[in-house]
Amino acid sequence: MLDKPAVATLLSQRFLGDKHTSLSQLPLPHTMSGAKKAASIIAASIKNNEKIAIVGDYDCDGVCSSAILDEFFCDIGYENYKVKIPNRFKDGYGLNESIVSELDVQLIITVDNGITAFEAANECKKRGIKLVITDHHMPLDELPRADALVDPQCKDNEFAFKEICGAQVAWYLVAALKDELGLVGYELGKFTDLLALAIIADMMELKDMNRVLVRAGLRQINSFARPCFSAIARLSGKESFAFDDISFLITPLIKSAGRMDDATVSFEFLRSRDLRCAEGLLAKISECNAVRKEREKELFELCAKSVSENDKVVVVWGEGWHEGVIGIVASRLARMYKRPAIVFSIDGQRAKGSARSVGKFDILALISSCESFVSSFGGHKGAAGLVAEPSKLVQLKTALNQACTNVDFNQISHDDLLGDIKADCVDNELMDIIDSFAPYGSKNPKPVFALRCALVVSVNTLGSEGLHLRLVLRADNRCFEAVYFNFEKRPAIGVRIDVLFILGRNYFRGQESLQLIIQEIL
């Protein structure tokens, strides 16, 4: 049975292996293999006033990466460049031959993509275009024929911390450019707000240098140096943002334009020069987000109907499903069924899928083990993208499930459980202890506690569609308010239940109270 000192000890143990615990301890730019060479090539192009293109990605990490490099070029007064953020629906993912052919430039710099852009790299060679690739995704055995390649996942890259996002790689490139161009006083810390968004949005491990940068990033966000954050604060009625606001408020907005329309809108929003411009762009983004929520709801309900309880891995597909929401739906399915989920959208002879994992299970390794049924794939341990032929989906589903025959996902889904907690320990002091170890996310999940034999005092539905519950529970002569979002079972008043919960704060009409956020009723 846990008490408060035990909770503090267990949470602190998560970071015993961290080597970088402050901004001053971050690895230096020269330790990122390829960064110096890339900076030398870019600096030469700048000095020769060559046309440069920055090619990003339509997700939050790609947009933030593009914004970092764009801001750097603006800061140094370089104007002979353009930013190309591929449209999910028209261009597809990352740098490709078509994009290369449309760019009339002498140098292309990729951010958050390019590590598997073999055909595009060959096209660059054919056209005499220099290519600098910066990425963070896992490479294949061979690498594209780029003039410089910066990716911490490459075998020959000895960077001290591998699990970083594309925006961090772009930031290190800027740091190397700062050195190459002799910009002694250039302030790199101003980008930590964009880094925080990208790290959290791309589900990077919130340990070591990532933890340091997200903490610094939240402070930078709350400085409101960028009009975009002031616009979001006004819209949401917030005076400042908390760590959870990055995950549940800011990054979903940034992602929504790329999911539903064109991520260029989000890029322009992050780079807004004044509040009026930012608010105008935020209005467009908010419309995208509203549509995204509706499409997500419709597709989730459709997918849930076809999930088999016997499957170890949820694999569903349909013709013409909206590609912009399949990743979110996969996440919701994984959370609901406590097992990995893959959602495919079929378009003719191509099925594009988005995969999400549970706990510490490596979804990318699972897909790799079934690669004979897949045309292409890539991503991370917790989230991945893949493409397959529609005719092979049934075989792929069978192979994925067979590969997980001996995996107990119920056990994996409870990896976050810290332990049973005494009812008299659930108070503001415990909440303060939990807050002190934020930010929470990948590899530092919010602690889940078990409360045993709690009496159900009251149960009421929440939300216009009654999808959530508000409960009052009593344990050891103490009453607790609790919420159960997207509940799976509704307990009866008067029964005793065991619950897994996360402790949170509830704000209502200026009053703050503690709240149990139920994860599961056992």
Side-chain angles (χ1 to χ4, degrees):
M1 187 75 71
L2 295 174
D3 57 15
K4 283 176 276 195
V7 170
T9 298
L10 286 172
L11 293 178
S12 66
Q13 288 174 349
R14 294 177 175 182
F15 311 107
L16 293 178
D18 287 6
K19 296 179 180 178
H20 312 98
T21 57
S22 68
L23 290 172
S24 63
Q25 294 178 330
L26 295 185
L28 296 172
H30 72 269
T31 65
M32 176 72 77
S33 299
K36 182 174 176 56
K37 183 180 180 181
S40 177
I41 293 170
I42 297 168
S45 288
I46 290 172
K47 290 172 183 176
N48 294 327
N49 197 35
E50 293 178 349
K51 292 181 181 178
I52 300 174
I54 301 163
V55 179
D57 185 24
Y58 44 67
D59 69 359
C60 185
D61 187 16
V63 170
C64 290
S65 303
S66 303
I68 288 170
L69 216 51
D70 174 70
E71 185 167 333
F72 174 75
F73 281 155
C74 284
D75 288 344
I76 65 174
Y78 192 71
E79 298 179 350
N80 198 10
Y81 76 98
K82 63 178 72 174
V83 177
K84 167 69 176 181
I85 299 184
N87 182 289
R88 178 192 295 268
F89 309 103
K90 298 176 184 176
D91 300 312
Y93 168 76
L95 184 68
N96 55 46
E97 293 172 278
S98 177
I99 291 175
V100 172
S101 65
E102 79 176 52
L103 295 173
D104 180 22
V105 297
Q106 277 99 23
L107 169 65
I108 293 175
I109 308 167
T110 73
V111 288
D112 190 35
N113 75 95
I115 198 63
T116 58
F118 297 100
E119 293 81 5
N122 292 338
E123 186 68 20
C124 285
K125 290 293 184 187
K126 188 188 302 182
R127 293 174 179 268
I129 299 172
K130 288 172 285 188
L131 175 62
V132 170
I133 291 175
T134 75
D135 203 347
H136 72 118
H137 295 98
M138 290 296 296
L140 302 176
D141 291 336
E142 295 183 23
L143 297 174
R145 297 168 60 207
D147 294 272
L149 199 154
V150 190
D151 186 334
Q153 299 291 351
C154 289
K155 293 178 182 178
D156 63 347
N157 198 318
E158 297 181 355
F159 191 69
F161 189 70
K162 298 284 190 181
E163 297 300 321
I164 64 174
C165 66
Q168 288 167 280
V169 180
W171 187 58
Y172 266 90
L173 176 63
V174 168
L177 278 166
K178 171 188 174 181
D179 292 344
E180 187 72 24
L181 296 171
L183 305 174
V184 178
Y186 191 75
E187 178 53 51
L188 291 167
K190 67 173 183 167
F191 294 113
T192 55
D193 50 4
L194 299 180
L195 294 177
L197 298 190
I199 290 167
I200 288 178
D202 231 41
M203 297 184 288
M204 293 293 101
E205 297 179 1
L206 289 181
K207 299 178 68 175
D208 207 275
M209 65 179 286
N210 290 347
R211 177 176 167 82
V212 172
L213 287 170
V214 172
R215 282 175 168 266
L218 182 62
R219 292 193 295 271
Q220 184 68 9
I221 288 170
N222 283 325
S223 74
F224 294 104
R226 295 184 191 277
C228 60
F229 297 122
S230 296
I232 296 175
R234 281 195 176 193
L235 180 68
S236 59
K238 290 183 174 290
E239 294 182 1
S240 64
F241 296 108
F243 286 116
D244 280 354
D245 292 322
I246 301 177
S247 301
F248 300 112
L249 173 60
I250 304 176
T251 59
L253 284 169
I254 303 302
K255 290 178 181 179
S256 64
R259 290 186 185 280
M260 310 310 298
D261 189 6
D262 195 314
T264 303
V265 178
S266 290
F267 166 77
E268 292 172 350
F269 174 63
L270 292 178
R271 294 288 291 119
S272 298
R273 303 299 200 276
D274 59 71
L275 183 58
R276 184 176 180 181
C277 175
E279 289 182 328
L281 291 166
L282 183 56
K284 295 180 182 179
I285 290 172
S286 296
E287 288 178 12
C288 288
N289 201 37
V291 174
R292 186 271 300 172
K293 290 179 180 179
E294 184 62 29
R295 296 288 183 273
E296 174 196 334
K297 177 177 178 292
E298 293 170 355
L299 184 55
F300 174 76
E301 292 174 352
L302 181 62
C303 289
K305 292 177 182 177
S306 60
V307 173
S308 169
E309 291 293 337
N310 297 322
D311 287 339
K312 300 295 287 283
V313 182
V314 174
V315 185
V316 293
W317 58 82
E319 190 80 38
W321 286 358
H322 199 295
E323 291 184 10
V325 299
I326 58 174
I328 310 174
V329 171
S331 293
R332 290 188 61 183
L333 290 170
R335 285 197 304 271
M336 171 172 276
Y337 294 102
K338 300 176 180 60
R339 44 193 143 141
I342 307 176
V343 180
F344 286 94
S345 173
I346 299 174
D347 181 8
Q349 297 304 307
R350 180 174 178 270
K352 182 177 181 181
S354 194
R356 297 294 184 270
S357 189
V358 293
K360 299 175 183 177
F361 185 77
D362 190 339
I363 191 72
L364 192 62
L366 173 63
I367 295 170
S368 179
S369 71
C370 303
E371 64 179 331
S372 60
F373 303 105
V374 176
S375 304
S376 62
F377 66 95
H380 321 292
K381 295 177 181 178
L386 64 163
V387 175
E389 296 175 19
S391 61
K392 293 184 177 180
L393 289 177
V394 172
Q395 293 171 286
L396 174 60
K397 179 177 180 178
T398 300
L400 291 167
N401 276 278
Q402 287 178 344
C404 295
T405 301
N406 298 320
V407 179
D408 184 354
F409 285 114
N410 286 324
Q411 183 63 42
I412 289 175
S413 67
H414 290 163
D415 278 352
D416 301 345
L417 178 62
L418 216 61
D420 290 15
I421 189 81
K422 300 176 181 177
D424 61 4
C425 288
V426 181
D427 57 17
N428 284 302
E429 185 182 3
L430 177 63
M431 189 74 252
D432 289 341
I433 291 170
I434 293 169
D435 285 345
S436 70
F437 291 97
Y440 289 102
S442 177
K443 294 298 178 72
N444 182 34
K446 282 190 175 181
V448 176
F449 302 100
L451 184 65
R452 305 290 180 180
C453 205
L455 178 69
V456 180
V457 177
S458 69
V459 182
N460 294 289
T461 54
L462 278 177
S464 58
E465 298 182 10
L467 299 177
H468 319 301
L469 295 178
R470 182 182 297 281
L471 306 92
V472 174
L473 304 177
R474 182 182 294 132
D476 295 337
N477 296 316
R478 289 191 59 198
C479 283
F480 300 96
E481 291 184 3
V483 290
Y484 191 7
F485 297 111
N486 298 306
F487 66 93
E488 297 176 19
K489 60 176 80 169
R490 178 176 181 139
I493 295 174
V495 302
R496 290 192 176 273
I497 57 175
D498 296 338
V499 297
L500 301 184
F501 72 93
I502 289 171
L503 189 61
R505 299 185 195 272
N506 182 43
Y507 301 92
F508 184 68
R509 294 179 179 174
Q511 299 295 313
E512 176 185 317
S513 60
L514 292 182
Q515 182 173 256
L516 310 188
I517 303 169
I518 295 175
Q519 306 298 290
E520 187 176 350
I521 296 178
L522 301 176

